[in-house]
Amino acid sequence: MAESSEFTFTPEFQFTAEQRHLREAVRKFCAENFDEQSVRRLMESQTRVDPAVWSRLGSELGVLGLEVSTDDGGPGGSLVDQAVAVEELGACLACGPLFGTVYLAIPALAACPSSEVRDSLLTSLLDGERTAAFVVVDRAGLFDADDVAVTAGAGRDCALTGTTHRVVDAGAADYLLVAARGPDGVCLYAVDASAPGVEREPLATLDLTRPQAAVHFQDAGGRRIAGPDDTAGVIAHALRAGSALLAVEQVGASQHLLDLAVEYAKTRMQFGRHIGSFQAVKHRLADMLVDLEHARSTAYHAVWALAEESPESDLAVSIAQATCSAAFSRIAADTIQVHGGIGFTWEHQAHLYFKRAATDAVLLGSAEQHRCRVAELVLDTAPVARQPVPVADGKPSPDHSIHR
């Protein structure tokens, strides 16, 4: 029978053979270096990162900046390539400054104008020799220059003073990318985290695998890497990329939890039967799968939109964040319910993912904030429909109308 061409489905992207091999390589690396025992050991350490393992992620696997062009010293891949690696790293709760370095700092540096300082720092981050944190205040993943509380002196090399609270990965970062207000406006500066005048105050956090710190600057030396004309665009690009990659990380963690719950339901016996045979458990697992697939679709759509520079990338990113944050939280809670009493204990890994879900749900904006953002992007720009208003006799009046 001849195939009908009436309906043609063209996917936005398909994973290539190289991307499938990349996924397998990262998954194998994670199994060897980020198993549960290693994650528990690292999350109790002071820096929450193994420098040797982090260096291998950059020098051996080359997955710390896959979207960076070859002209900037990167592999020349796409953001989709980076997302494939991030999904696998998220599945195992990989300890290390992924959020600060990979999700935010590297995209920011890649968007900055080329300079000696920027090029050197970007290369060291890509190779895994150095780490970074993004010292920029955002509102639901959006940058507002009025929120910048750090001040800077005049010139490309100047002193920074001020405080930024709740900076992810700041405690172990070698460099800090700081938004600061100078005489000419808000600029982006690179600051050596160990330099005089920089104080990092560790904060008590729910998720021990993703540390945060308050960063205090007192006449700390900074080197400008983006001027007032470029900074807003650089930060906006980094926040969009970071939000999309965070959504993909949530998908990876959710997939791991679903696999964990399904395996437990297939082996746990209750009343002489596997609990997976009970209808209530089946329904819960089915709902988890639906949530996961919905989240995966929105996350990779956001990544694709950014990679293709789609004009609707802001909308796609907010949809992904709203969907993936909510899905990860529900799946984490449902995984604990499927496991019963053991899922609530400190010894079981489910609680680690539950805490990561709670933390990720408020990074770069909560699900509620992003739903409001979606409403603004869709409703506030939609064409206004006009409808006749009924008058007293029940007939519409052509001279009066209302906005819908």
Side-chain angles (χ1 to χ4, degrees), residues 19-32 61 63 88:
Q19 288 167 345
R20 291 193 294 271
H21 293 155
L22 171 65
R23 184 184 297 278
E24 293 171 1
V26 177
R27 183 175 296 174
K28 180 180 178 182
F29 184 90
C30 290
E32 295 172 351
L61 286 185
V63 297
E88 295 303 319

Side-chain angles (χ1 to χ4, degrees), residues 39-391:
V39 169
R40 288 182 180 275
R41 173 177 54 82
L42 288 171
M43 75 181 195
E44 297 291 348
S45 66
Q46 183 175 1
T47 60
R48 320 290 172 88
V49 60
D50 185 330
V53 173
W54 185 261
S55 177
R56 289 180 60 200
L57 280 172
S59 59
E60 184 178 316
L61 286 185
V63 297
L64 298 182
L66 287 166
E67 78 279 16
V68 178
S69 68
T70 54
D71 292 340
D72 289 328
S78 70
L79 195 64
V80 177
D81 300 323
Q82 186 62 67
V84 169
V86 165
E87 184 180 347
E88 295 303 319
L89 292 166
C92 64
L93 296 187
C95 281
L98 287 166
F99 185 84
T101 303
V102 178
Y103 301 0
L104 295 172
I106 288 178
L109 289 170
C112 286
S114 180
S115 67
E116 182 179 353
V117 174
R118 173 264 194 185
D119 295 347
S120 175
L121 179 53
L122 180 57
T123 299
S124 67
L125 295 184
L126 292 173
D127 292 341
E129 297 175 358
R130 296 288 186 269
T131 60
F134 202 57
V135 190
V136 176
V137 177
D138 72 280
R139 291 187 182 183
L142 297 178
F143 174 67
D144 188 342
D146 292 338
D147 294 331
V148 175
V150 180
T151 59
R156 299 191 65 86
D157 297 330
C158 58
L160 274 62
T161 299
T163 296
T164 301
H165 301 280
R166 297 180 297 278
V167 180
V168 178
D169 295 329
D174 297 308
Y175 287 94
L176 305 171
L177 300 190
V178 187
R181 188 181 308 279
D184 300 328
V186 176
C187 301
L188 192 64
Y189 298 85
V191 178
D192 187 337
S194 61
V198 179
E199 179 186 354
R200 292 172 287 180
E201 177 188 355
L203 302 176
T205 58
L206 178 66
D207 181 9
L208 296 180
T209 67
R210 180 151 279 167
Q212 300 181 31
V215 184
H216 309 281
F217 301 100
Q218 184 61 50
D219 295 328
R223 296 172 292 175
R224 194 171 72 185
I225 55 176
D229 295 333
D230 300 314
T231 295
V234 167
I235 293 176
H237 170 76
L239 292 175
R240 283 193 295 267
S243 295
L245 291 176
L246 180 62
V248 173
E249 176 196 281
Q250 292 169 318
V251 168
S254 297
Q255 179 68 69
H256 176 80
L257 288 175
L258 177 59
D259 293 342
L260 205 66
V262 169
E263 184 60 29
Y264 187 78
K266 289 162 59 177
T267 57
R268 177 73 167 95
M269 300 289 292
Q270 190 72 23
F271 305 113
R273 297 168 55 185
H274 292 108
I275 64 171
S277 66
F278 298 129
Q279 191 176 50
V281 176
K282 289 180 182 180
H283 286 178
R284 189 181 293 273
L285 294 173
D287 289 342
M288 292 166 67
L289 176 61
V290 171
D291 283 341
L292 172 60
E293 290 306 313
H294 190 192
R296 176 176 281 112
S297 296
T298 61
Y300 275 100
H301 174 73
V303 170
W304 171 85
L306 288 174
E308 296 296 319
E309 299 182 354
S310 167
E312 295 187 350
S313 57
D314 285 341
L315 176 61
V317 166
S318 282
I319 291 174
Q321 267 295 293
T323 304
C324 295
S325 292
F328 187 18
S329 295
R330 286 195 299 267
I331 291 172
D334 285 346
T335 298
I336 291 177
Q337 292 298 321
V338 170
H339 281 80
I342 187 64
F344 287 87
T345 65
W346 180 256
E347 289 75 15
H348 198 275
Q349 61 178 291
H351 81 89
L352 298 177
Y353 286 82
F354 183 85
K355 293 176 180 178
R356 171 64 69 89
T359 299
D360 284 357
V362 295
L363 291 180
L364 300 179
S366 66
E368 290 79 6
Q369 289 173 316
H370 280 285
R371 282 193 285 268
C372 289
R373 176 65 174 157
V374 169
E376 292 172 0
L377 292 171
V378 175
L379 300 180
D380 291 356
T381 60
V384 177
R386 303 179 70 85
Q387 170 180 310
V389 177
V391 292

Side-chain angles (χ1 to χ4, degrees), residues 1-9:
M1 177 183 291
E3 293 186 2
S4 172
S5 59
E6 183 179 358
F7 299 103
T8 302
F9 173 70

